[in-house]
Amino acid sequence: MNSIGKQVLSALKSEISEIDYQRYIKQLTFNDVESKSNLAIFNAPNPLIANWIRTKFSEKMAHLFEIKTGIKPTISIIVQSGKNIPSSPAVIAAPVERASGSLLNPSYTFQNFVVGGSNNFAFIAAKNVSEKPGVVYNPLFIYGGVGLGKTHLMQSVGNVMLAQGKTVIYTSVEQFLNDFSRHLSNRTMDRFKDKYRKCDLLLIDDIQFLSGKNQIQEEFFHTFEALRNENKQIIITSDKHPKKIGGLEERLKSRFEWGLVADIQPPELETKIEIIKKKCEINRVKLDREVINYVATIIENNTREIEGILSKLNAYSQLMGVDITIEFTRNVLKEQMAEKRSNITTDLIMDTVAKELNVKSSEIRSKSRNSNIVYARRIAIYLSRSLTPNSMPQLAQYFGMKDHTAVSHTMKKIQELMKNDEDFRIKVEELSNKVSMVTSE
Ligand code: ADP
Ligand code: MG
């Protein structure tokens, strides 16, 4: 017979995402021997996973027990000592209790972070900070667009320190503000100060939301000063450089630059490919190279899209019992692309191609035989023919070519190249998707 713990875990499976289940819940084992009706004990392989499950799922788990037994137990997630634990010994030895209270995603680690030219600087800075917190760069300020890995990087430092048994607080401006208001109205400000000024590492995500909130800026300023005076590490993220955050006190702006300001740029295609591979590995999704490359051309800059796409592909393929082939992928993601494709014009294609390939739009339409320009022109023609309703004679006229046979010749040439040269095909697909993205903005 299945133990009640197992029943709860399988009930939980149907309530949460497949990814959450595979990654976290599946790693739990129910402790039959020590559990009681009002205390359900589960073993987790390491404190990071234990902490995450405790924060995210324990309430749901207690509820599922209540449905099955009529009693709502306390859920205790403990770290199992002993064999087959993949994490490092330091992780295993860390006291579990210290981990509570901070909400870190255990998969946001340095090992899971793909380093490329676009994020190299921020990565090294974060790595250094994790090795010498409070000493090298304090604060570390990481800024960049949405989905570029800021939260991932800052939490990687958090996970390193958490595993060493340090106190780590991860918070958003909103949470900090709520906490502040609650303690203020409860007259427990000393506890608020204790919490935020006595931690070893304070992670504040998306600090741009401090903008215009004066009272909390004041409080944050004092927290900042207290931590820095004690050489406690602070890491801050933002969507822009401190100087560019409006509605922020000057003294805060200047302090944000006291340590190190590191930016993250949108990833290059190669980095996107590596990130997809990494996400596949973590989520145990198997994709072949062609599919990975195709997905890389679809996502623009926001890496967050990757997990959505992976789980979509996974879900569809399981539902239909088929492998994730390139045709399958194109089909599943077709709608996503089609939506973006409705109002593409030849002008837009030319501007995008010109910009991406570093030539001038006017050169594309000229008669120049310069090889870069010929290359750009051919791609622009190919994309115009594939993505717009224009006929070959119309395109011939637009691109200043003799007649439609010249266009048809170009089309054949490009198709042949795409068939034989994978790098070239990826490049063209990427451009094609870039054009589509521009219209969807
Ligand atoms: P941000 O905070 O900058 O908006 P996140 O840190 O939330 O971005 O990243 C969005 C998603 O993309 C996360 O799942 C994260 O793990 C992933 N990601 C972003 N950059 C990388 C990278 N270089 N390597 C691995 N995963 C990444
Ligand atoms: Mg973030």
Side-chain angles (χ1 to χ4, degrees):
M1 194 200 74
N2 258 348
S3 72
I4 178 71
K6 274 198 182 149
Q7 290 176 35
V8 164
L9 291 184
S10 76
L12 185 62
K13 184 176 181 190
S14 58
E15 296 206 4
I16 63 179
S17 77
E18 180 65 19
I19 285 177
D20 274 342
Y21 180 78
Q22 293 293 343
R23 205 187 289 168
Y24 308 115
I25 301 301
K26 209 176 160 192
Q27 311 216 37
L28 285 183
T29 46
F30 183 58
N31 186 332
D32 268 323
V33 184
E34 287 166 78
S35 292
K36 305 186 194 91
S37 59
N38 61 353
L39 174 69
I41 304 174
F42 290 87
N43 290 326
N46 67 51
L48 307 182
I49 289 183
N51 182 37
W52 185 248
I53 293 178
R54 207 178 287 132
T55 331
K56 228 182 143 187
F57 302 112
S58 60
E59 183 52 39
K60 222 176 207 122
M61 288 161 77
H63 177 67
L64 290 170
F65 270 100
E66 192 179 11
I67 293 173
K68 291 195 186 295
T69 67
I71 299 169
K72 189 172 181 180
T74 303
I75 303 289
S76 166
I77 314 280
I78 59 176
V79 177
Q80 126 200 93
S81 52
K83 53 186 171 30
N84 75 41
I85 297 168
S87 324
S88 69
V91 174
I92 301 158
V96 182
E97 295 317 317
R98 297 290 285 271
S100 64
S102 62
L103 184 72
L104 295 183
N105 184 328
S107 75
Y108 285 178
T109 60
F110 287 120
Q111 293 94 309
N112 286 344
F113 192 83
V114 173
V115 186
S118 57
N119 57 33
N120 189 24
F121 184 62
F123 175 84
I124 293 175
K127 199 87 209 293
N128 281 334
V129 163
S130 75
E131 282 153 15
K132 291 197 174 113
V135 182
V136 273
Y137 313 119
N138 205 10
L140 171 61
F141 190 102
I142 303 173
Y143 75 97
V146 175
L148 299 186
K150 301 182 296 295
T151 301
H152 185 139
L153 260 191
M154 89 175 342
Q155 291 205 2
S156 299
V157 181
N159 277 321
V160 168
M161 290 183 61
L162 200 61
Q164 295 164 347
K166 301 275 174 47
T167 314
V168 178
I169 296 185
Y170 168 78
T171 186
S172 61
V173 168
E174 193 194 358
Q175 221 173 321
F176 185 79
L177 178 65
N178 287 345
D179 231 13
F180 173 74
S181 315
R182 189 165 48 86
H183 284 288
L184 194 66
S185 63
N186 292 347
R187 296 169 195 268
T188 48
M189 273 309 287
D190 45 338
R191 270 201 249 153
F192 177 86
K193 286 180 181 154
D194 253 12
K195 176 175 171 186
Y196 286 101
R197 298 183 191 182
K198 295 219 166 111
C199 61
D200 299 300
L201 172 66
L202 178 63
L203 307 172
I204 303 247
D205 214 352
D206 293 314
I207 199 86
Q208 70 272 13
F209 293 118
L210 267 187
S211 164
K213 304 194 175 88
N214 295 341
Q215 191 185 16
I216 200 66
Q217 283 186 26
E218 167 90 26
E219 190 54 41
F220 184 68
F221 175 79
H222 294 301
T223 305
F224 185 99
E225 290 287 278
L227 286 169
R228 246 193 73 108
N229 287 339
E230 298 279 321
N231 292 326
K232 301 299 171 98
Q233 181 69 43
I234 304 157
I235 305 181
I236 300 168
T237 69
S238 164
D239 63 349
K240 38 179 116 54
H241 190 280
K243 279 204 180 74
K244 300 226 167 103
I245 307 177
L248 192 65
E249 289 180 23
E250 280 308 317
R251 56 179 185 172
L252 276 175
K253 280 192 191 181
S254 70
R255 273 164 183 78
F256 289 168
E257 293 188 64
W258 272 0
L260 183 76
V261 178
D263 67 328
I264 304 189
Q265 293 295 324
E268 307 81 3
L269 187 62
E270 295 69 37
T271 310
K272 283 186 206 169
I273 292 176
E274 291 308 314
I275 295 176
I276 298 171
K277 286 188 189 156
K278 188 59 108 183
K279 290 286 176 199
C280 286
E281 186 188 311
I282 297 170
N283 296 317
R284 299 201 189 95
V285 176
K286 278 211 168 62
L287 296 185
D288 62 26
R289 209 168 43 118
E290 218 183 348
V291 174
I292 291 178
N293 291 344
Y294 178 72
V295 174
T297 66
I298 285 200
I299 51 167
E300 206 192 7
N301 293 332
N302 186 346
T303 328
R304 249 175 241 173
E305 286 181 53
I306 295 176
E307 279 184 325
I309 291 182
L310 291 188
S311 56
K312 194 164 174 182
L313 288 175
N314 217 18
Y316 275 76
S317 90
Q318 283 184 2
L319 201 72
M320 295 147 105
V322 296
D323 289 340
I324 308 178
T325 59
I326 182 74
E327 291 75 27
F328 175 82
T329 307
R330 283 183 204 274
N331 264 331
V332 171
L333 303 178
K334 200 163 56 193
E335 263 172 52
Q336 201 153 339
M337 295 310 299
E339 256 169 47
K340 294 174 174 171
R341 277 199 174 149
S342 47
N343 33 23
I344 297 176
T345 62
T346 324
D347 280 342
L348 177 82
I349 291 175
M350 213 178 46
D351 289 346
T352 311
V353 170
K355 191 168 136 232
E356 294 295 325
L357 299 180
N358 267 328
V359 299
K360 295 202 187 85
S361 301
S362 56
E363 289 173 331
I364 292 188
R365 288 173 78 171
S366 74
K367 299 234 180 306
S368 166
R369 300 307 302 162
N370 170 299
S371 63
N372 286 341
I373 296 172
V374 171
Y375 177 79
R377 185 182 304 135
R378 284 184 170 155
I379 294 179
I381 292 171
Y382 172 80
L383 293 179
S384 302
R385 182 67 186 140
S386 335
L387 303 176
T388 72
N390 289 314
S391 66
M392 291 214 214
Q394 279 170 328
L395 290 177
Q397 194 184 11
Y398 184 88
F399 286 100
M401 302 173 99
K402 219 166 50 220
D403 56 21
H404 73 277
T405 51
V407 174
S408 142
H409 178 74
T410 304
M411 290 302 289
K412 285 208 190 94
K413 184 111 205 140
I414 296 283
Q415 276 156 353
E416 198 181 293
L417 268 173
M418 283 176 76
K419 213 166 94 200
N420 300 327
D421 180 346
E422 193 179 356
D423 285 344
F424 178 76
R425 199 195 68 230
I426 295 173
K427 187 75 213 162
V428 174
E429 280 181 344
E430 196 199 11
L431 279 167
S432 155
N433 293 325
K434 279 232 162 80
V435 174
S436 314
M437 307 292 174
V438 175
T439 60
S440 67
E441 271 165 8

